[in-house]
Every structure is written in C-alpha cells, then in structure tokens.
Amino acid sequence: MGKDIHYTYRPGTKLTPEQIAMIEAARDLPVEEDEDNPEIDPVKTPERYAALMRAVAERNRRVVEKLREMG
C-alpha cells in the first residue's frame, strides 16, 4: 500500500506542478469501495439509507432537546 500524503491548503497558496500532477493522476484511478465505511445510497442500499435517516433524525432530536435545556 502506498504512503499517504496530506496537504493543508491555505487560501492564496498556489499548488506546485507536482501537486497538480498528483491531482490529475488521481482522476484516472478506479473508485475503491471502503469496507469500513460502505456506500450509503438510497437506490443501491435502501436499508442502509433508511437506517442513516433514522440515526440523523434521532441525533437531531437530541440536539434540539439539549438546546431547549440550555435555554
């Protein structure tokens, strides 16, 4: 497996030719499925999508409840 390279972009900073080449090369790479974080698509995986929507609704309910408690 290749080495991960991380860049922190700061507004106004120009990319180097090497960075531009890496980005352009990445466009041609195949999409890799992530086993730890599978795709959630309402058409391809409706069960996962429904579970996600339930989890988001529950999280939002807890956030609203907490905000009401705070005042």
Side-chain angles (χ1 to χ4, degrees):
M1 190 155 105
K3 179 181 172 188
D4 288 345
I5 299 174
H6 300 274
Y7 293 101
T8 302
Y9 178 76
R10 291 176 183 78
T13 304
K14 295 197 184 272
L15 296 174
T16 66
E18 180 185 52
Q19 291 169 325
I20 293 170
M22 287 172 56
I23 292 168
E24 290 173 348
R27 290 182 191 156
D28 298 330
L29 295 175
V31 175
E32 292 184 22
E33 295 295 326
D34 185 350
E35 294 174 12
D36 295 332
N37 188 18
E39 180 179 12
I40 298 176
D41 182 278
V43 175
K44 294 180 184 176
T45 56
E47 302 86 15
R48 269 193 208 130
Y49 185 78
L52 171 67
M53 291 297 103
R54 286 191 301 272
V56 168
E58 176 60 23
R59 183 220 38 211
N60 291 346
R61 184 194 63 75
R62 287 193 314 262
V63 168
V64 168
E65 185 178 299
K66 195 66 142 176
L67 289 172
R68 285 184 182 149
E69 289 175 6
M70 292 173 63

